[in-house]
Amino acid sequence: MATEPAECGKLEQHLQVLGRSLDRFLTFQHPDAMHEPARWRSALERRLPDTGIGIDAVMEEMTHYVIPNGSAFPNPGSTAFITTGATTISALATLAGAVASPQRLSLNAFNFLEAQSLNWLAQLFRLPADMQGLYTSGGSVANLVALGAARQRAFEDVGVDPARQGVEHRTRVFASEESHHSILRACAVLGLGRDALVPIPCDAQGRMRTELLAQTLEACEDLPVAIVGNLGTTNAGAIDPIIELARIARENRVWLHLDGAYGLPGMLDPDVRPLFDGLEWADSVVVDPHKWLGAPVGIGAVFVRDRALLQRAFTQEAAAYYEGSLSDDAEHSMNHMGIPYSDMGIELSAPSRGAVVWALLREIGVAGLAARIQRHNAMARWLAEQVQADPHLELLRTPRLSICCFRYVDERIEQTDELNRQLHHRLLHNNRNLPSTTLIDGKLALRPCFIGARTGWPQVQALLEEVRETGAALARQWTSPSARDRPERTRRSRS
Ligand SMILES: *Cc1c(COP(=O)(O)O)cnc(C)c1O
């Protein structure tokens, strides 16, 4: 059968069209996708196509209706959640991998970079020399794999292979109440049960109270599987006291897992590096290159001291079609397994993630990345200082990394949460500065998280200005003697 004509020699031509469209998108001069969704939905909402329209027409629809109505997250002014746009080189490397390396299996340059870039990450974050990595689809799966290793170790210590025999013991995983929900889900997926998670209360800075951890462990009658520490909580960027966690883990012979999906790169900032002391005691560490490193979404990484443990926990067992096709004396790339990553996690087929991490580190080096991270941390600290100096703003947490939780206040207005909820709605409506919100000690906070490679000082200044102006305008309306001017919800809640 002939190759379909659309598949031959068309990349260069179409990449130019795609590049132009994406560059234009990144100027963010378009309205938000949900401003007038009918404009693009009517063009895209179609029946399953019986016949194709050809690559040119698809590209036409892609550049007219799809790309201009993409996500707001890559906007430099978007500081919501912990999500950002990919850098250009990492987007290009992703495309290159999609075309030139559809599997980790076999030996080729892409798969070579899978191993090398994992080693680079371990060095970059000063992980112990014996730590070995595995890419995953993100932090959630990285946490799952790490806790899978912890489960394997805990059960093997009592003479059980949990991967083969299942888990019969009642187990415990100890994590601060600020830990990411993926820890809870990992407990469920690994058969420990969500009830196995023991949430440990935090101090006023959102750090685990280690004296409570020690007490809880002492009283524990079940099989302890892991202590989970945060290297930057999702909520506010808090870093748990690692040295203390490591001491307790060692004394109780429990696995120490550190979740640095967001915050591990923070250690490249000399001002906060001391908070990462003790990292070398961890049994497993997670980081998400698709967060602060600016990789396209779909790249997490987990590091453990002993990948053999991962293989015992996650092997997919031999398959005739697989091992039988390979002999390991590589004269051809397809005659060699390469590192058996597919036996160490939960994915067999997986995209080439190493080439992306290689490309983004090669482009700007450690110095470039460290400069970005220092800039983002400094932006959060600067914002906190401005907030503290302004009687109309209240700082809810001292930033440790690049998240700053604060809110607008007005002494004449009691419903501060509602005021800030409305303020946040207006920010989204104005579509320039886009933080998310969270609750800090039950108070609604505006929560910018600065991680975007395109996000810099102009964005933090613009955010501060817009919060001040919008807050003042809302407060004026709110306290206006004419009820007509007051926002809808205020009238209701005051009556
Ligand atoms: C984002 C995040 C996760 C989950 O990572 P995904 O890549 O979204 O799956 C886990 N832990 C922490 C601390 C996070 O910030």
Side-chain angles (χ1 to χ4, degrees), residues 194-427:
R194 287 173 189 253
D195 288 350
L197 189 77
V198 186
I200 309 291
C202 291
D203 66 13
Q205 289 300 323
R207 294 168 301 198
M208 191 195 292
R209 290 180 54 190
T210 49
E211 79 283 8
L212 297 182
L213 169 68
Q215 284 166 21
T216 313
L217 252 169
E218 204 162 299
C220 175
E221 290 178 356
D222 305 316
L223 182 64
V225 166
I227 295 169
V228 179
N230 289 298
L231 305 174
T233 55
T234 315
N235 225 13
I239 299 169
D240 286 328
I242 306 175
I243 292 179
E244 195 52 21
L245 289 186
R247 189 185 61 74
I248 296 170
R250 234 178 17 258
E251 279 175 14
N252 291 274
R253 306 197 44 186
V254 181
W255 184 280
L256 177 61
H257 171 59
L258 297 178
D259 181 358
Y262 152 54
L264 181 57
M267 61 99 69
L268 298 179
D269 178 352
D271 286 346
V272 286
R273 175 164 301 153
L275 297 176
F276 292 83
D277 284 353
L279 205 57
E280 65 277 14
W281 295 106
D283 295 291
S284 52
V285 180
V286 157
V287 67
D288 257 348
H290 70 204
K291 288 178 173 166
W292 225 339
L293 268 53
V297 73
I299 310 187
V302 53
F303 293 84
V304 294
R305 284 171 191 278
D306 181 9
R307 280 198 302 213
L309 200 57
L310 290 183
Q311 284 182 280
R312 295 203 293 283
F314 293 109
T315 180
Q316 58 152 3
E317 312 288 349
Y321 70 85
Y322 186 58
E323 281 82 358
S325 314
L326 307 155
S327 77
D328 268 16
D329 56 352
E331 291 207 325
H332 188 277
S333 61
M334 280 177 66
N335 201 26
H336 201 287
M337 294 275 289
I339 297 173
Y341 291 113
S342 59
D343 276 320
M344 300 175 191
I346 57 171
E347 295 166 291
L348 174 54
S349 299
S352 175
R353 298 167 176 131
V356 179
V357 172
W358 163 80
L360 64 86
L361 287 173
R362 194 85 177 106
E363 184 198 13
I364 57 173
V366 176
L369 187 61
R372 182 194 304 166
I373 280 149
Q374 283 174 57
R375 175 178 87 231
H376 289 147
N377 284 346
M379 284 161 58
R381 283 196 294 270
W382 177 85
L383 180 57
E385 284 162 19
Q386 308 307 306
V387 165
Q388 282 182 303
D390 185 334
H392 280 301
L393 297 175
E394 181 187 358
L395 185 66
L396 295 174
R397 276 281 169 81
T398 305
R400 288 287 172 261
L401 297 172
S402 66
I403 297 175
C404 180
C405 295
F406 70 107
R407 60 182 190 161
Y408 193 87
V409 290
D410 186 301
E411 59 191 9
R412 298 163 299 175
I413 297 170
E414 274 174 27
Q415 300 102 315
T416 307
D417 282 358
E418 183 55 28
L419 179 66
N420 282 278
R421 196 168 290 122
Q422 290 187 16
L423 202 167
H424 184 248
H425 284 169
R426 290 212 180 172
L427 293 182

Side-chain angles (χ1 to χ4, degrees), residues 39-341:
R39 277 181 305 128
W40 50 270
R41 268 199 194 152
S42 57
L44 297 179
E45 199 161 37
R46 292 175 188 275
R47 283 187 304 120
L48 173 68
D50 286 330
T51 53
I53 56 174
I55 190 168
D56 293 315
V58 176
M59 286 302 289
E60 187 76 14
E61 293 192 350
M62 178 116 75
T63 53
H64 273 84
Y65 301 113
V66 183
I67 291 173
N69 297 296
S71 168
F73 285 116
N75 187 331
S78 172
T79 53
F81 310 110
I82 308 186
T83 298
T84 185
T87 60
T88 303
I89 190 64
S90 54
L92 293 171
T94 301
L95 178 63
V99 173
S101 183
Q103 274 292 1
R104 292 175 294 182
L105 172 71
S106 86
L107 274 190
N108 60 51
F110 285 86
N111 293 341
F112 176 82
L113 291 177
E114 187 100 351
Q116 177 174 286
S117 63
L118 282 165
N119 291 337
W120 278 7
L121 288 178
Q123 273 178 48
L124 177 67
F125 299 128
R126 303 183 180 202
L127 300 181
D130 58 347
M131 272 211 163
Q132 296 175 307
L134 171 80
Y135 284 118
T136 65
S137 60
S140 301
V141 173
N143 279 331
L144 174 74
V145 169
L147 290 178
R151 181 189 74 168
Q152 195 69 24
R153 166 66 49 75
F155 275 82
E156 285 181 359
D157 283 353
V158 293
V160 176
D161 176 359
R164 201 159 292 284
Q165 299 164 260
V167 293
E168 280 183 359
H169 295 61
R170 275 169 53 94
T171 56
R172 292 291 180 203
V173 171
F174 305 87
S176 98
E177 58 189 4
E178 293 267 309
S179 293
H180 193 267
H181 284 111
S182 56
I183 302 294
L184 190 61
R185 180 162 55 190
C187 290
V189 174
L190 290 166
L192 312 178
R194 287 173 189 253
D195 288 350
L197 189 77
V198 186
I200 309 291
C202 291
D203 66 13
Q205 289 300 323
R207 294 168 301 198
M208 191 195 292
R209 290 180 54 190
T210 49
E211 79 283 8
L212 297 182
L213 169 68
Q215 284 166 21
T216 313
L217 252 169
E218 204 162 299
C220 175
E221 290 178 356
D222 305 316
L223 182 64
V225 166
I227 295 169
V228 179
N230 289 298
L231 305 174
T233 55
T234 315
N235 225 13
I239 299 169
D240 286 328
I242 306 175
I243 292 179
E244 195 52 21
L245 289 186
R247 189 185 61 74
I248 296 170
R250 234 178 17 258
E251 279 175 14
N252 291 274
R253 306 197 44 186
V254 181
W255 184 280
L256 177 61
H257 171 59
L258 297 178
D259 181 358
Y262 152 54
L264 181 57
M267 61 99 69
L268 298 179
D269 178 352
D271 286 346
V272 286
R273 175 164 301 153
L275 297 176
F276 292 83
D277 284 353
L279 205 57
E280 65 277 14
W281 295 106
D283 295 291
S284 52
V285 180
V286 157
V287 67
D288 257 348
H290 70 204
K291 288 178 173 166
W292 225 339
L293 268 53
V297 73
I299 310 187
V302 53
F303 293 84
V304 294
R305 284 171 191 278
D306 181 9
R307 280 198 302 213
L309 200 57
L310 290 183
Q311 284 182 280
R312 295 203 293 283
F314 293 109
T315 180
Q316 58 152 3
E317 312 288 349
Y321 70 85
Y322 186 58
E323 281 82 358
S325 314
L326 307 155
S327 77
D328 268 16
D329 56 352
E331 291 207 325
H332 188 277
S333 61
M334 280 177 66
N335 201 26
H336 201 287
M337 294 275 289
I339 297 173
Y341 291 113

